[in-house]
Amino acid sequence: MTTHATDPSYAQLPIIDLSAADRGPEERDLFHARLHSAAHDVGFFQLTGHGVTRAETEALTSAMRAFFALPEADRLALDNINSPHFRGYTRTGDERTGGARDWRDQLDIGAERPARVPGPGEPPYWWLQGPNQWPAALPELRTAALAWIDKLSAVAQRLLRELLTAIGAPAGFYDPVFGAHAHPHLKLVRYPGSAGDGTDQGVGAHKDYGFLTLLLQDTVGGLQVQRADGRFHEVPPLDGAFVVNLGELLEVATNGYLAATNHRVVSPPAATERFSVPFFYNPSLDAKIAPLPFPHAEKAPGVTTDPSNPLFAEYGYNELKGKLRAHPLVAERHHANLLTPA
């Protein structure tokens, strides 16, 4: 159930204004100090000053609401069980986190590319590249979603470069693993309210497996982040801000100096819908994440060890691991040969 913070310092995440990077040396230095602290000490923050307009946001959110208002048959026509690339619609309860069902439905979207079937000896993660599934009755959704991927990729690229600068690393160190072959991922998510069976897992506690996640949440709330006291604390919605968290690849890259942080969503009350739009800034599937050279490396505590969640330096294996666990119906139908025998 919801855990309420008692320490006032946990009432809100750090707020980082990206536009401060353009306001001269003194404000830029202060911005980098705040960004460094937020990323190292918390692993989550609210991002303002990002340049995404209300009109761009409204174009996406209105198309998203229109999608979830479509007849169920229209949504199920895009069922991701028909996609070996894990693209398309997931009905409520069909996704899993930590082995338990997530009480939400969603549309998974990525870069629009032709399917790549792995050849002999090629890594199986190439299955993750492929076309999206779009509702024929809602062409504006495709336009808005692909524009959002482009826009947020640019915001995330800038943020990553500023973050690397903030910890004393070369700003463009990871530029080569992104570019035209990056593997961004967008989810349009609806939480339809409590399942009514005593469970309240909108999405279970987890870490993201890329570099950065930028989340647009509505005003309902329910996102919780695990803080230094070990408890999960609410993230109050902040108008116009993105909630940013660091993924496992940054933890690997910095040997734990920047840590991926557990987070979860508690379902809203019954009959209350919550909408959210997480965007995952991921490198190319075959990117091998080299250790980051930075002056604080000697203070790094090491990468989190979790036998049930091994971290890979080659990005595609991280995402494939997550997809096989999260979407068991797709995995069983298309990738049974990749599943570990029980």
Side-chain angles (χ1 to χ4, degrees):
M1 298 299 293
T2 301
T3 300
H4 293 286
T6 55
D7 185 335
S9 69
Y10 288 151
Q12 181 56 278
L13 293 175
I15 299 172
I16 302 296
D17 181 357
L18 186 56
S19 67
D22 298 325
R23 295 189 198 137
E26 186 173 337
E27 287 214 40
R28 182 170 170 80
D29 287 347
L30 181 58
F31 159 74
H32 282 143
R34 289 173 172 164
L35 180 57
H36 185 166
S37 175
H40 174 60
D41 298 332
V42 184
F44 261 81
F45 51 90
Q46 301 263 28
L47 185 72
T48 62
H50 41 67
V52 179
T53 67
R54 288 194 179 273
E56 289 168 322
T57 301
E58 177 60 27
L60 181 71
T61 55
S62 62
M64 173 178 64
R65 288 176 180 270
F67 170 75
F68 286 110
L70 289 173
E72 184 181 41
D74 289 4
R75 285 178 276 124
L76 289 177
L78 313 181
D79 198 325
N80 72 346
I81 198 171
N82 298 316
S83 170
H85 320 294
F86 298 89
R87 305 291 178 88
Y89 177 69
T90 304
R91 73 185 82 196
T92 303
D94 276 2
E95 188 173 17
R96 302 287 190 272
T97 301
R101 67 178 183 170
D102 294 326
W103 201 244
R104 62 180 183 173
D105 59 345
Q106 65 189 34
L107 187 68
D108 282 278
I109 303 164
E112 193 67 82
R113 295 185 182 131
R116 177 169 175 181
V117 177
E122 286 191 317
Y125 55 65
W126 288 117
W127 279 112
L128 299 172
Q129 177 177 307
N132 295 299
Q133 299 192 73
W134 302 106
L138 204 62
E140 61 268 33
L141 179 63
R142 183 183 192 278
T143 300
L146 293 181
W148 192 258
I149 286 175
D150 288 343
K151 182 74 174 186
L152 263 68
S153 290
V155 173
Q157 179 189 40
R158 183 181 183 200
L159 178 60
L160 178 60
R161 291 175 64 92
E162 296 291 357
L163 175 56
L164 297 188
T165 299
I167 65 172
F173 187 78
Y174 289 118
D175 285 359
V177 302
F178 286 94
H181 300 290
H183 190 75
H185 180 205
L186 174 65
K187 285 178 180 280
L188 307 180
V189 185
R190 174 178 63 175
Y191 297 87
S194 176
D197 60 0
T199 64
D200 63 353
Q201 175 169 303
V203 60
H206 67 286
K207 301 176 182 180
D208 296 339
Y209 33 77
F211 265 78
L212 293 170
T213 302
L214 280 68
L215 171 73
L216 178 69
Q217 62 170 339
D218 65 10
T219 59
V220 173
L223 174 64
Q224 299 180 343
V225 173
Q226 192 171 33
R227 301 294 295 268
D229 63 353
R231 298 166 61 199
F232 282 87
H233 295 268
E234 299 283 347
V235 179
L238 182 64
D239 184 42
F242 291 109
V243 181
V244 177
N245 66 278
L246 313 184
E248 292 174 338
L249 285 187
L250 271 175
E251 181 171 328
V252 170
T254 62
N255 196 30
Y257 186 79
L258 300 178
T261 304
N262 269 322
H263 53 287
R264 67 188 185 190
V265 174
V266 174
S267 289
T272 301
E273 289 185 321
R274 175 183 185 265
F275 294 90
S276 71
V277 185
F279 170 79
F280 305 92
Y281 186 56
N282 304 322
S284 60
L285 289 169
D286 59 351
K288 296 178 175 65
I289 308 306
L292 184 69
F294 68 111
H296 306 283
E298 73 278 0
K299 302 176 185 176
V303 174
T304 304
T305 57
D306 180 354
S308 67
N309 183 39
L311 301 184
F312 302 101
E314 192 166 349
Y315 172 65
Y317 286 113
N318 279 317
E319 180 162 332
L320 181 62
K321 169 195 67 178
K323 288 288 198 292
L324 292 172
R325 290 179 176 180
H327 297 280
L329 299 179
V330 179
E332 290 164 10
R333 180 166 182 175
H334 298 284
H335 305 296
N337 62 312
L338 302 179
L339 300 176
T340 302

